[in-house]
């Protein structure tokens, strides 16, 4: 296209396999329109590196752009932003957004269907990927933001969410550097050598034999819970489930080998040799991230279990020769977010430059670090009984503003209202069934059972909204951290041709932890960038509020935690 460079450009699929592209203004009005084939799109993006590209769904097209050797600097992901704006309480008129239900569709599979943007026929029930539909929804979103009660927050949130979509694709493309040899050694040590197909590893077989011997039943079924429960009952272990908490309440020779067998089988099924062959055929683990996959804005994963990697496998996350890992995680992210959101200077002071729970103990609020952790997490997650419930009143006296924020959020939820994060992501309304139950309980003739159930459901919703405001804002901070760090790393010296992996790059993300894969000579600078990005994210969201986000940053060959 020959038009002058503009801040906004858009892309959409044509029915004949070509691509529509357009230069648009901030309201979505077309300034100039053109047509390219799939191979030319990457060139258009490379020719306009400062543009923010509007697309139906980043996962549907960015994989191919990266494969063509081009990195997108900024984008607006229409699907993700629709979900935010449709429900945000900052939007004054969301009726048109809510009416555009086609944008509520699930994202396209970023691995198996990543060429959907260029296919001749759209997938059934898929998002509309054509340019006109994309721009029509973008225009609705632009109007919703412009007329919102706080447009600045929503602009920041939608930009961060869209940047996260780019990061997710780049993380999948880069992959986590992984040693199959180390992984195999860990499995062999825990389970025994790799067995032949259809057989159990030797140590797992030995554990199974020990369990059956303790049960006095050589043919006992250990992988069917109903049958295992019957076997346990026959030897006097009267449990209702095989959870480790319930089993540990009993003193019987079967308990320890059974718990060990369950741990071994969990490792074998979730991250054993079959998992390694499927997800790490070479030296990279490529999880499939789902930005905004949790209602609070946290990421989810749709394959590979990236968010559930066991601690024992972290030594297998290993840098390439000549490279290192910068591993960073935030200490007590959600409690620090709570301090900043509420403006609680006392809680912020407890967190400054140190472990927040130790800071609470130093203030004399509770006697031990464990109690401080239990009390604060209990306050954020709504624990009202046991040790957590006993300690929460001490927190209310010491940190009244922080506790008032979560208490108020819980009250709103119990009353059927919605709460929002710092930048405007809003909790979903209660279901019709929930409202009907509360209405039934309010009737004069309501039974005690109905009233009790209604109170229980109301408290459950209060616990959800209590944590929603904190967890959701923590997710926003993490997105800002990722987006800022991504931009810092792109300025690092290039050591290869790939737009992402040809320099220090993000390789892993999990809520409050990131891993950067970097050439050895750039490791110290990458670690500094990680810290600077965290500081910048704090200032972006909370201005000059005196709170630091304490990072544990280390440079190492593997991701093993000490």
């Amino acid at each position: 296209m020959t038009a002058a460079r503009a801040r906004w450009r858009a892309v959409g699929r044509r029915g004949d396999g070509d691509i529509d592209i357009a230069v648009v203004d901030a309201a979505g009005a077309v300034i100039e329109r053109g047509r390219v084939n799939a191979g030319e799109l990457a060139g258009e993006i490379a020719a306009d590196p400062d543009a923010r590209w509007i697309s139906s769904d980043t996962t549907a097209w960015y994989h191919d752009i990266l494969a063509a050797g081009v990195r997108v600097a900024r984008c607006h992901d229409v699907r993700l932003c629709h979900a935010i704006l449709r429900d945000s309480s900052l939007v004054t008129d969301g009726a048109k957004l809510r009416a555009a239900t086609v944008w509520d569709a699930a994202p396209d599979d970023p691995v198996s269907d990543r060429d959907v943007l260029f296919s001749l026929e759209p997938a059934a029930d898929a998002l509309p990927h054509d340019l006109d539909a994309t721009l029509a929804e973008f225009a609705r979103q632009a109007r919703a933001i412009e007329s919102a009660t706080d447009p600045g927050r929503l602009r920041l949130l939608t930009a961060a969410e869209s940047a996260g979509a780019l990061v997710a694709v780049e993380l999948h493309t880069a992959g986590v550097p992984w040693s199959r040899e180390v992984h195999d050694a860990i499995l062999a040590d825990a389970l025994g050598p790799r067995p032949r197909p259809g057989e159990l590893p030797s140590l797992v077989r030995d554990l199974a034999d020990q369990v059956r011997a303790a049960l006095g039943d050589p043919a006992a079924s250990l992988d069917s819970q109903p049958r295992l429960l019957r076997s346990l009952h026959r030897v006097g272990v009267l449990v209702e489930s095989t959870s480790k908490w319930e089993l540990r309440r009993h003193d019987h020779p079967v308990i320890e080998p059974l718990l060990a067998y369950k741990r071994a089988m969990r490792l074998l099924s979730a991250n054993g040799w079959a998992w390694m062959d499927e997800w790490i055929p070479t030296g990279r683990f490529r999880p499939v991230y789902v930005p905004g996959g949790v209602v609070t804005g946290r990421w989810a994963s749709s394959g590979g279990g990236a968010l559930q990697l066991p601690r024992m496998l972290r030594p297998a996350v290993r840098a390439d020769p000549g490279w290192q890992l910068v591993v960073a995680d935030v200490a007590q992210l959600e409690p620090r977010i709570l301090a900043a959101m509420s403006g609680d200077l006392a809680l912020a002071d407890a967190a400054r430059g140190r472990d927040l729970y130790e800071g609470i103990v130093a203030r004399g609020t509770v006697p031990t670090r464990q109690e401080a952790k239990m009390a604060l997490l209990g306050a954020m997650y709504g624990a009202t009984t046991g040790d957590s419930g006993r300690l929460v009143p001490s927190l209310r006296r010491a940190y009244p503003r922080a506790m008032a924020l979560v208490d108020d959020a819980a009250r709103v939820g119990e009353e059927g209202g919605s709460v929002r994060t710092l930048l405007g992501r809003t909790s979903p309304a209660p279901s019709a069934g929930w409202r009907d139950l509360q209405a039934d309980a309010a009737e004069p003739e309501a039974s005690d059972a109905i009233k009790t159930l209604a109170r229980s459901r109301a408290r459950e919703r209060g616990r959800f909204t209590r944590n929603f405001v904190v967890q959701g804002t923590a997710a926003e901070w993490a997105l800002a951290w990722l987006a800022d760090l991504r931009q810092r790393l792109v300025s690092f010296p290039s050591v290869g041709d790939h737009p992402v992996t040809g320099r220090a790059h993000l390789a892993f993300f999990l809520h409050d932890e990131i891993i950067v894969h970097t050439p050895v000579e750039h490791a110290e600078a990458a670690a500094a960038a990680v810290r600077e990005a965290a500081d910048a994210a704090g200032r972006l969201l909370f201005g000059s509020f005196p709170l630091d986000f304490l990072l544990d940053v280390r440079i190492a060959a593997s991701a093993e935690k000490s």
Side-chain angles (χ1 to χ4, degrees):
M1 297 179 68
T2 59
R5 290 185 178 181
R7 178 171 178 245
W8 297 97
R9 296 187 73 178
V11 58
R13 177 188 57 209
R14 293 176 58 90
D16 58 8
D18 278 352
I19 310 298
D20 281 327
I21 58 175
V23 176
V24 301
D25 63 20
V30 175
I31 298 170
E32 183 181 354
R33 187 169 182 142
R35 176 177 176 178
V36 296
N37 61 42
E40 294 168 335
L41 178 59
E44 286 285 334
I45 294 171
D48 196 354
D50 298 324
R52 178 173 292 172
W53 284 84
I54 304 162
S55 73
S56 56
D57 179 16
T58 302
T59 57
W61 62 279
Y62 189 34
H63 288 274
D64 298 275
I65 301 304
L66 279 180
V70 174
R71 174 186 178 275
V72 174
R74 301 189 303 166
C75 79
H76 181 96
D77 187 300
V78 169
R79 180 187 66 83
L80 288 173
C81 293
H82 172 85
I84 291 171
L85 298 172
R86 176 197 62 206
D87 298 329
S88 177
S89 59
L90 295 179
V91 172
T92 57
D93 182 10
K96 291 182 178 178
L97 286 168
R98 288 189 290 274
T101 55
V102 67
W103 292 100
D104 297 330
D108 294 308
D109 188 304
V111 178
S112 62
D113 297 323
R114 69 188 189 193
D115 61 345
V116 67
L117 183 62
F118 310 121
S119 65
L120 296 179
E121 296 295 335
D125 300 321
L127 294 165
H129 293 294
D130 62 283
L131 183 63
D132 291 336
T134 298
L135 287 179
E137 173 60 18
F138 177 73
R140 285 189 288 268
Q141 294 179 15
R143 289 192 294 270
I145 293 173
E146 189 63 29
S147 61
T149 56
D150 196 333
R153 291 178 190 266
L154 289 178
R155 288 193 190 99
L156 182 54
L157 178 54
T158 52
E161 188 86 338
S162 298
L166 293 172
V167 171
V169 176
E170 291 171 1
L171 285 170
H172 177 83
T173 297
V176 182
W178 197 281
S179 169
R180 284 176 56 93
E181 292 75 16
V182 171
H183 189 158
D184 180 73
I186 291 170
L187 294 177
D189 182 63
L191 307 175
R194 183 169 187 164
R196 290 179 294 185
E199 295 184 356
L200 288 177
S202 58
L203 296 182
V204 181
R205 290 200 311 272
D206 291 346
L207 287 170
D209 291 342
Q210 293 175 42
V211 174
R212 292 187 175 105
L215 291 172
D217 181 1
S221 174
L222 306 187
D223 301 316
S224 165
Q225 177 156 301
R227 294 178 182 177
L228 178 57
L229 286 173
R230 288 195 291 272
S231 296
L232 289 168
H233 294 169
R234 281 195 291 269
V235 296
V237 180
L238 303 179
V239 292
E240 296 181 0
S241 75
T242 57
S243 73
K244 64 180 179 181
W245 297 278
E246 189 167 2
L247 287 171
R248 285 199 182 280
R249 291 201 291 265
H250 295 264
D251 182 17
H252 190 279
V254 76
I255 301 300
E256 290 307 318
L258 177 56
L259 290 173
Y261 174 81
K262 284 166 61 67
R263 287 193 299 270
M265 287 300 293
R266 187 161 50 248
L267 174 62
L268 179 63
S269 60
N271 300 105
W273 290 279
W275 179 85
M276 181 173 68
D277 290 344
E278 178 181 2
W279 285 97
I280 313 165
T282 56
R284 289 294 185 273
F285 170 41
R286 302 185 192 278
V288 180
Y289 293 98
V290 183
V294 179
V295 69
T296 58
R298 271 189 169 189
W299 286 17
S301 65
S302 67
L307 307 185
Q308 295 88 32
L309 284 181
R311 183 187 183 96
M312 68 184 304
L313 284 184
R314 292 183 69 94
V317 179
R318 190 164 292 264
D320 293 341
W323 290 61
Q324 284 187 305
L325 304 178
V326 177
V327 183
D329 59 86
V330 191
Q332 304 97 34
L333 175 57
E334 290 187 9
R336 290 171 192 272
I337 290 291
L338 173 59
M341 285 185 74
S342 62
D344 195 311
L345 290 170
L347 188 56
D349 183 64
R352 192 165 300 117
R354 60 183 170 182
D355 180 283
L356 183 146
Y357 303 130
E358 294 289 358
I360 292 175
V361 172
R363 187 180 170 89
T365 307
V366 295
T368 68
R369 184 187 185 280
Q370 181 59 29
E371 287 178 312
K373 180 177 181 179
M374 188 184 307
L376 195 48
L377 294 180
M380 291 192 299
Y381 286 90
T384 57
T385 60
D387 289 339
S388 293
R390 173 179 58 82
L391 295 167
V392 165
S394 298
L395 290 186
R396 289 199 175 99
R397 290 190 294 271
Y399 311 111
R401 297 192 66 170
M403 295 303 102
L405 186 146
V406 289
D407 287 345
D408 288 347
R411 176 185 51 77
V412 170
E414 290 177 9
E415 294 173 354
S418 293
V419 296
R420 66 171 180 253
T421 61
L422 180 73
L423 298 184
R425 193 187 301 270
T426 300
S427 63
S431 67
W434 187 94
R435 292 191 180 279
D436 289 344
L437 175 61
Q438 301 303 316
D440 290 345
E443 294 292 335
E445 66 275 14
S447 67
D448 289 343
I450 288 294
K451 291 179 181 178
T452 299
L453 181 60
R455 286 194 296 269
S456 175
R457 295 291 185 266
R459 286 193 296 270
E460 287 177 4
R461 179 164 172 77
R463 286 192 291 272
F464 164 69
T465 53
R466 175 186 290 271
N467 184 244
F468 182 95
V469 292
V470 180
Q471 186 181 109
T473 304
E476 291 166 355
W477 180 90
L479 279 175
W481 185 29
L482 281 176
D484 188 281
L485 179 58
R486 174 180 183 261
Q487 292 302 94
R488 292 175 190 271
L489 293 178
V490 79
S491 67
F492 274 46
S494 217
V495 295
D497 295 332
H498 194 275
V500 172
T501 58
R503 56 172 55 84
H505 59 273
L506 282 159
F508 181 75
F509 170 60
L510 174 60
H511 306 322
D512 58 2
E513 179 187 7
I514 61 168
I515 297 177
V516 173
H517 194 212
T518 175
V520 170
E521 61 269 26
H522 302 149
E524 291 292 345
V530 168
R531 294 187 181 95
E532 291 162 2
D535 290 341
R539 291 192 302 272
L540 183 66
L541 266 65
F542 303 112
S544 60
F545 185 77
L547 179 74
D548 59 349
F549 289 88
L550 187 64
L551 295 184
D552 175 21
V553 181
R554 60 187 183 83
I555 300 170
S558 84
E560 182 177 10
K561 289 187 175 181
S562 57

